[in-house]
Amino acid sequence: QVRVVESGGGSVQAGGSLRLSCSVSGYVHKFCVAWFRQAAGKERDGVARIYLGSGTIDYVDNTQGRFAMSRDDAQSNDYQQMVYLQMAKLKPEDSAMYYCAVRRAIGICSWATRDYDYWGQGTQVTVSS
């Protein structure tokens, strides 16, 4: 069983920054960890993902350059992972519930929510203008 816990959300003004944390525990050898977000009344969309095998990180186009996903290698191994999402130059349209998720498939990352097996409870980000 894999447990996912997010933290770090909050309220900021436009142009501000936040760092979200995602703690993953359980066997996750070469799985994929991704950040998703869901604004009120909208679908849940991918933001950034990391393939744990190589450390390769990908972003969706509308966040690259402002958002940076990273992993704390000192706190990460096959049974636990600590990943972050550093968000800068935040805009009101970035307001959403942010989720961290794990896909239980070696070497295959995805942007589809249906492909992810374990989810955290989410952390709210609110950006005011």
Side-chain angles (χ1 to χ4, degrees):
Q1 186 70 15
V2 174
R3 184 168 180 252
V4 182
V5 180
E6 307 98 333
S7 62
S11 298
V12 295
Q13 290 194 330
S17 300
L18 278 174
R19 188 177 81 158
L20 307 183
S21 300
C22 174
S23 175
V24 178
S25 58
Y27 187 69
V28 288
H29 179 64
K30 294 186 177 179
F31 291 173
C32 188
V33 177
W35 284 100
F36 290 82
R37 65 183 180 182
Q38 186 169 21
K42 296 188 177 181
E43 294 186 349
R44 191 172 298 187
D45 294 322
V47 175
R49 65 191 184 191
I50 180 171
Y51 169 51
L52 299 180
S54 64
T56 301
I57 297 172
D58 297 298
Y59 301 91
V60 293
D61 290 341
N62 62 358
T63 60
Q64 194 165 9
R66 297 191 299 121
F67 290 11
M69 186 175 187
S70 63
R71 173 173 62 177
D72 185 341
D73 290 337
Q75 297 191 58
S76 298
N77 53 49
D78 283 347
Y79 292 91
Q80 65 178 33
Q81 295 282 326
M82 181 63 74
V83 298
Y84 304 98
L85 185 68
Q86 179 70 49
M87 304 183 294
K89 300 178 182 177
L90 284 162
K91 306 174 182 179
E93 52 264 43
D94 294 318
S95 296
M97 185 72 80
Y98 283 71
Y99 297 91
C100 184
V102 176
R103 185 178 189 198
R104 190 182 56 203
I106 294 177
I108 305 174
C109 282
S110 166
W111 290 120
T113 56
R114 65 179 179 274
D115 291 336
Y116 284 79
D117 303 284
Y118 305 100
W119 292 82
Q121 79 288 352
T123 185
Q124 179 68 41
V125 172
T126 302
V127 184
S128 58
S129 58

